Structures are given as structure tokens and as C-alpha cells.
Amino acid sequence: SIEDGLIYEMSGYIRSGMYVGEKSGTDDHEAKSLYSEASLNLQVKKGTIGDAYFDLRFKEDLVESDANDHFNLRESYLNAYLGPVDLRLGQQIVVWGQADGINPTNNITPINYKVFSPNEDDRREANYLIRSYLNSDLIRVEAIWIPKYESSVLPLNEESLPDGVTLESMDNSDNGVHRGSGALKVYFQGNSLEASVSSFQGHHPTPGLTATLNPDATFSVTTEPYEVRIFGTDFSTTIGKFGLRGEFSHWEILE
């Protein structure tokens, strides 16, 4: 619809999914995931100046009744188009790289590894970002600043740990600007080849694990962010009737 020079576009879906797997240590099977989900997407455009995008989802998890999966504003951001420069500000999901499943250059926004789904997009989580693009005929440059750290959700719980080991929650009170991150990517696009080179420096969304020996001879395991510097490249091309994609990365742990 059009109103006062604004263009509104709305879309969405309703779906339900069930995933069954073998119960650990037995020959029995159990429902690993059973849920219903509705999504509402709204985009508001103002000529060629900019637009706003919202992705609101409602999910009801029928396996984990205490899961915090109800109303979730998955993404909400503003775009501004300033000649050759595009700016995007807000809660966003960023996917880098060409590979499926394992993406060594995809280091911007967190992943929820507790989600059981064959769809990789279901595991992706948003973070507050400032994202900019510089567009030209030959290349495209993307720069990202992540002012606040958000951790990926690891597939850990008390039941999965051995006796004498407890899982402690990560201290989120220290996720300020000093844990922010920055990234830069340059895209090249030709007739038969798409490629990019990228760099990332900051605290990686997937945290490490720190084990502490307690006075009673038990261990406490805590997730702990660590700082890295990553250089990567990816490509996508065709060879006859076949497609070929790949990624490479080099990591340096800074702390």
C-alpha cells in the first residue's frame, strides 16, 4: 500500500516442524524438536532515500515448555541510501561466506546451536550492528562495527556433563564497547566468478570454555569470549554444468 509517500510491503508465513532422533544411550527415539511458528515481515520505503525492515516471529516450542521462544523481534533496522554509500543501523543478521554448514569466514552474528533444524537460517541470531557499503562498478566494500558482544548459544546443559562438573552462566554485565568488534569485506564480481576477501577483529561470537577447580574437587565450566583476528577469502564459480564454492581463513588468537 502507498500512504503519504510511503510504500508498505508485508509478508509472512505459518509453519510447523517436528524432528525425531535417537535417545542418547538407548535404542529408543524421541522428539528433538516440535514447534509451531508464525512470521510477519514489514518493510516501509520512503522513495529512494531509505527504508525500514522488521521481522516479528511467534514460536511455540512443544518440547521445551520453558523455552523463551514466544514473541521475538528477530530483525529491525533502518537503511539509508546516500549515492554510492549505503548505511544500515539496527538489529541484524549477517551471513558471510559461500560454504554451507561450516563457514570459517562467517564470524559476525551469533548462532543458536540448540536449535534442531535442517535449515541453517533457523539457528541464526541477530545483534546490533552499524553496517555500511561502498558500491562501485568493479568492487563493493562492506564495513561493520559491532558495538556490543552477543554470544552464540552452545549445545550444553547440565545433563550432558559428567558427574562433578557444573555449568555456570556467562557474565553478560561485561559485554560493553571494549568487547566490540570490527570487520571489513571487499567483494569482486565478474562474469563467471564471485569472490571476496575479509578481515575480522574482536571477540568471536562462539565463546570458549573455561574450567575452574572448586574446593570440593568439582569443576565449574563457564563460557568465556576470546579475542581473535581472522583473515578470510571465499569464491563461487562454475565449471561446465557444475558449481564450485570454497572458503579459506587464517585465525590468530589475541588473548
Side-chain angles (χ1 to χ4, degrees):
S1 64
I2 301 176
E3 182 179 341
D4 298 330
L6 298 177
I7 301 176
Y8 299 88
E9 296 182 2
M10 187 177 296
S11 62
Y13 64 79
I14 298 175
R15 68 173 179 172
S16 182
M18 180 178 181
Y19 304 98
V20 178
E22 186 176 277
K23 194 172 183 179
S24 178
T26 71
D27 294 330
D28 297 332
H29 292 77
E30 63 181 355
K32 299 294 186 178
S33 179
L34 176 60
Y35 65 89
S36 297
E37 184 180 62
S39 173
L40 177 64
N41 301 323
L42 174 63
Q43 188 172 21
V44 183
K45 299 181 179 179
K46 177 66 173 178
T48 59
I49 299 174
D51 57 56
Y53 176 80
F54 306 91
D55 182 359
L56 177 64
R57 299 192 181 186
F58 175 81
K59 183 176 182 181
E60 182 68 22
D61 195 313
L62 303 178
V63 173
E64 298 185 26
S65 58
D66 59 343
N68 187 23
D69 282 333
H70 300 296
F71 281 106
N72 175 31
L73 187 58
R74 191 167 186 249
E75 289 190 277
S76 59
Y77 54 79
L78 299 174
N79 288 319
Y81 307 113
L82 310 172
V85 177
D86 300 339
L87 296 176
R88 178 174 293 179
L89 175 67
Q91 197 77 1
Q92 307 168 51
I93 293 174
V94 177
V95 182
W96 275 9
Q98 299 283 352
D100 297 320
I102 299 176
N103 304 68
T105 64
N106 187 31
N107 308 302
I108 306 302
T109 49
I111 301 291
N112 188 343
Y113 292 101
K114 285 188 174 182
V115 173
F116 288 92
S117 174
N119 187 352
E120 288 294 323
D121 184 65
D122 291 342
R123 298 186 178 93
R124 293 168 181 149
E125 302 280 342
N127 195 2
Y128 185 88
L129 310 174
I130 299 175
R131 194 176 183 185
S132 61
Y133 303 92
L134 176 62
N135 304 295
S136 70
D137 295 335
L138 298 177
I139 63 172
R140 188 185 197 200
V141 181
E142 177 181 0
I144 295 176
W145 180 45
I146 310 167
K148 183 180 179 182
Y149 178 79
E150 288 290 344
S151 172
S152 293
V153 180
L154 301 182
L156 298 176
N157 51 52
E158 294 287 352
E159 292 77 15
S160 65
L161 299 176
D163 293 338
V165 180
T166 59
L167 183 64
E168 303 290 339
S169 299
M170 184 176 68
D171 183 9
N172 293 319
S173 63
D174 195 30
N175 291 350
V177 174
H178 69 285
R179 278 190 177 171
S181 304
L184 184 68
K185 191 169 191 176
V186 182
Y187 299 83
F188 307 89
Q189 185 167 355
N191 294 329
S192 60
L193 174 67
E194 293 182 8
S196 71
V197 293
S198 63
S199 65
F200 171 90
Q201 181 164 332
H203 289 79
H204 196 272
T206 301
L209 298 176
T210 299
T212 303
L213 178 61
N214 301 318
D216 59 357
T218 62
F219 284 91
S220 297
V221 176
T222 308
T223 56
E224 185 70 28
Y226 60 96
E227 189 174 4
V228 294
R229 181 185 296 120
I230 303 173
F231 299 98
T233 182
D234 62 75
F235 69 91
S236 175
T237 187
T238 56
I239 302 176
K241 297 181 179 180
F242 299 94
L244 178 63
R245 294 182 293 167
E247 291 187 39
F248 306 92
S249 66
H250 171 73
W251 290 48
E252 299 177 31
I253 298 178
L254 303 180
E255 65 172 37

